[in-house]
Amino acid sequence: MKKTTTIIKNILLFLVALLFLSPIYIIITNSFKNRQELYTNVLALPESFSFQYYSEAIQKMNFMSAIGNSLYITIVSVFFIVILSSMTAWMLARTNNRLSNIIFMTFIATMLIPFQTIMMPLMQLMGTITNDLGIPMFNTREGLIFMHIGFHSSLSVFLYHGFVKSIPRTLEEAATIDGASKFGVFWKVIFPMLKPITVTVMILNVISIWNDYLLPSLTLTDRGLRTIPLSTFYFFGEFTIQWNLAMAGLMLTIIPVVIFYALAQKHIIKGIGDGAVK
Amino acid sequence: MKNSKNRLWYILFVAPLVLIFATVVVIPFLMGIYYAFFQWDGIGANPKVFVGFDNFKHLLTDTRFFKSAWLTTLFTILAVASVNIVGLFFALLVTSKLRTANAARTMIFMPYLIGGLILGYIWQFIFTDVFKRLGELTGFDNVFFNWLMDPQYALYAMVFVFTWQMAGYVMIIYIAGIQGIPEDVIEASKIDGANGWQRLRKIIFPLLMPAFTISLFLTLSSAFKVYDVNLSLTGGGPANATELFAMNIYNEIFGYGNYGFGQAKAIVFFLIVAAITLTQVYLTKKREVEM
C-alpha cells in the first residue's frame, strides 16, 4: 500500500516538472513546422523534421557572431570580476581600518541601486570618457566589459568578503614568515582556498552577464557587436509574424544555456544555494 | 618602512576595482542626483536649466507615473506571493524522499537560466497561439485566450511568466533552508504526535525564516525592477496597461528625451526600492529564530 502511493507520488512529481517545462516542448516542436502546419496544429508533433528554419535563423540573427560576442564578453568579464573582487575582498577583510570599512560598506550599499537610476548619467560619463579622454567606451566589447565589471563587483566582493572571514589567518602568517610577499600569499595560499566561493561567483555572474539585455542595448549599436539577447531582440522586431522562424531563433538561443546547464548542473544548483545563504 | 610597503600592497590590491566601481556606479549615481534638478533634453550642446525641485513637484501631477506606480505595486505583490508559494511548494515536494526529486529539481530550475528577454518571447507565443488553440480544444475559452490583448490579464500574464522564471531559483534557496533543519527535530515532533500541517507551521516555517528573508528580498527587489520580461512579453501594452516603473523611466528618458524629469523619477524609484527592501529585511530578520 505504502509502496503504491510512493510510486504515484513519484509519477506526479515528474508530471508536474514536465508540465513546468512544456513551453520548451512547444518551442522545439514548432521550430520544425512550416507556417501552415504551425497554425493548423500548434500542439502536435511536427510532420517532418527540417532544419531549414534553423539555418535561416542562424543567418538572419547573425547567430555565429552573436554567440562569439556573448562568449567573449561573458568570459572576459567574469575572469576580471573573479580576480579583482577576490583581491579586493581579501585586502578589505584583512585590513581592519576605517578606509576598508568605508569601501566595503559602499560596495554593499550600492547593491540597492536599480540600474535605471544610473543608466542615463552612466551613458553621459561614458560619452565624456570617449570624447575627452579618447577611450572608446561605446561600440567596443571592452567598454561593455568594463561596465559589467563595475556592476557585478558589489555582490562578488560581498561573497568573497564573507568567505575570507571564515579562513583562519595562521596560514597566511606562516607563509609571510617563510618570506612570501603579499602577492605570493594571496595567489599561492589564499586564492586556492577560495575555490568554492569562486565557483559561486562565476556562476552567478555568468548567468546575469550572459542574459543581460539593457546595458548592451545602450552601449552597442554596431550590428557586428550584438550579443545573443540583443540579436534576439532585433530578430523579433523583424520576424514575430513568422513564428516558426522565430521559434527556431529562440531554440538557438536556448541551446547554449542547456549545454552550460548540462555540464555544470551540480555546481550551478550548489552555487545558487551557497550564494543565497551567505 | 614596513608601513609604507603595506600601504603600497593595499593600493595595488584594492585600487583597480575601486576605480572601475567608482567610474561605473558611484560617480554616475552622484551625477544622477545632480541631473534630477535640471531640465534638459540630453543633447550636450543644449542648455541644462536649473529648476530646483520642480521635476519632483511635476511628478506629483504625472498621472502616467502614478498609474505605473500602481501597476508596479500590484505586480510586485502578486509576483512575490506567487513566486514564493510556488517555490516553497516545489521545495517541499522535492525534499520529500522521492526518486524523481532530483530530476524534477533540475527541470524546475531551468527557466531561470534562460533569461528574461527570451522567456518573454517564448510566452508571447504561448499566450498568442497556444492559449488560443487550447481554448478551442478544451472549450475553456474564458481561461485560455490571448491574455496579452486584455489590459487586465496582460498584467497577470507578466506575473505568470515572472513566476515561471523565479520559482526555481527561490526553490533552491528554500531547499537549502529545509536541508539545514536537523533531522532529530522533525523526528521528535513525529514522536510527539504532530501531524504534517502542525509540523510545517510550528517547526519548518519558523526555522525557515532566514530563507524567507533572502527569498522575499530577492523576489521583491527583482519584481520591482523587472524590465526584460516586460519589454519582450508586452512591451508595456496594451495601452500602457503593463508599463512598469523600470520601463516608464526608460521611456521618459530615452523615449521622450526628458532627461532631467526622467532622472528625478529614477531617483524616486531608487528611494522606493531601498525603503521597501530594507523594511522587509528588517521585519523578517526580527522573526528569525536561533536554533
Side-chain angles (χ1 to χ4, degrees), chain A residues 186-202:
Chain A
F186 182 75
W187 288 113
K188 295 214 178 87
V189 182
I190 299 300
F191 193 71
M193 292 176 77
L194 296 177
K195 201 183 153 203
I197 199 73
T198 297
V199 174
T200 300
V201 167
M202 281 169 68

Side-chain angles (χ1 to χ4, degrees), chain B residues 53-62:
Chain B
F53 282 93
D54 278 7
N55 284 331
F56 294 94
K57 282 184 207 147
H58 182 187
L59 264 181
L60 297 172
T61 57
D62 183 8

Side-chain angles (χ1 to χ4, degrees), chain B residues 164-184:
Chain B
W164 198 61
Q165 178 183 21
M166 292 293 290
Y169 192 91
V170 166
M171 172 190 73
I172 301 291
I173 297 169
Y174 285 127
I175 290 174
I178 292 169
Q179 284 169 345
I181 298 174
E183 199 76 12
D184 47 339

Side-chain angles (χ1 to χ4, degrees), chain A residues 35-62:
Chain A
R35 270 177 104 159
Q36 209 214 323
E37 198 190 338
L38 187 145
Y39 285 115
T40 44
N41 205 343
V42 75
L43 295 171
L45 281 167
E47 281 161 15
S48 63
F49 286 89
S50 103
F51 285 88
Q52 183 201 335
Y53 303 112
Y54 280 85
S55 58
E56 210 175 313
I58 286 178
Q59 235 178 25
K60 290 189 166 142
M61 283 176 85
N62 218 350

Side-chain angles (χ1 to χ4, degrees), chain A residues 47-108:
Chain A
E47 281 161 15
S48 63
F49 286 89
S50 103
F51 285 88
Q52 183 201 335
Y53 303 112
Y54 280 85
S55 58
E56 210 175 313
I58 286 178
Q59 235 178 25
K60 290 189 166 142
M61 283 176 85
N62 218 350
F63 184 74
M64 290 309 167
S65 136
I67 201 164
N69 289 329
S70 273
L71 279 173
Y72 178 79
I73 289 164
T74 309
I75 291 170
V76 178
S77 301
V78 172
F79 174 79
F80 281 109
I81 290 168
V82 164
I83 299 222
L84 295 177
S85 54
S86 62
M87 281 169 52
T88 305
W90 177 65
M91 209 32 127
L92 293 180
R94 289 303 193 226
T95 320
N96 245 330
N97 58 30
R98 254 181 76 184
L99 181 64
S100 291
N101 287 336
I102 292 171
I103 294 174
F104 183 65
M105 288 319 286
T106 313
F107 273 114
I108 305 309

Side-chain angles (χ1 to χ4, degrees), chain B residues 131-147:
Chain B
F131 264 42
K132 209 178 109 215
R133 177 82 189 150
L134 279 173
E136 285 165 12
L137 281 177
T138 58
F140 289 113
D141 50 8
N142 52 346
V143 180
F144 295 112
F145 61 95
N146 189 352
W147 289 17

